[in-house]
Amino acid sequence: MHSFTDFFKGFERLPAVRSIFGDQTENVLRQLKVEFFSSKFGYMGVSDEDGHLIVSAYYLREGEAISKYLDVIHELVHVKQFRNGMALFDETYEYHNRPTELEAYKLAVEEARRLGMSDKELFEYLKVDWMSEEEVRKLAKNLGIKVAPKRAQERVR
Ligand SMILES: [Zn+2]
């Protein structure tokens, strides 16, 4: 276990992050622990046991900078949710409808838009190997991201 602030610098100064933790921002980030794992699968997550951040070292090395940045914002929302006693993995909801996920994605999407990302780029960002194309479309819709209609070819299949 490492200290978050040893590896992720300057996040305490971001308005997006301050909007999560308010004047507790420095405090929370200083206490936050991060665990790295080595696998080509997976990205980042938050432990539902003690709220620490879990990060794929492979993803950190190979992933796109903007994706990693948005993922950190997303995961910090989960850190707050955990601290507030919320269940992070409420299985009564599918991933693309889960309120804890939508809250986390919403802030990441806001930040992405502020940085000039288009809806098309955001849709690409949402794609992960555990969601079907249909689920990604539903998630995008829940987040107010415009998605191009499926190609005519696909529709007639
Ligand atoms: Zn999440």
Side-chain angles (χ1 to χ4, degrees), residues 44-48 70-71 73-82 86-91 93-109 125-126 128 130-131 135 139-140 142-143 145:
M44 295 186 199
V46 168
S47 158
D48 64 347
L70 296 176
D71 283 4
I73 305 274
H74 176 118
E75 297 307 330
L76 288 177
V77 174
H78 288 323
V79 168
K80 181 205 70 175
Q81 292 165 342
F82 179 84
M86 293 169 81
L88 296 183
F89 309 116
D90 186 344
E91 296 293 336
Y93 297 94
E94 289 178 280
Y95 182 81
H96 60 269
N97 286 328
R98 197 173 296 150
T100 49
E101 290 306 332
L102 295 181
E103 187 190 12
Y105 275 112
K106 222 158 244 172
L107 187 65
V109 165
Y125 166 69
L126 294 184
V128 284
W130 69 80
M131 266 192 287
E135 287 168 334
L139 175 60
N142 287 342
L143 296 169
I145 295 168

Side-chain angles (χ1 to χ4, degrees), residues 138-153:
K138 285 180 189 162
L139 175 60
K141 191 168 167 261
N142 287 342
L143 296 169
I145 295 168
K146 286 194 208 80
V147 181
K150 283 187 200 170
R151 291 201 189 103
Q153 242 181 344

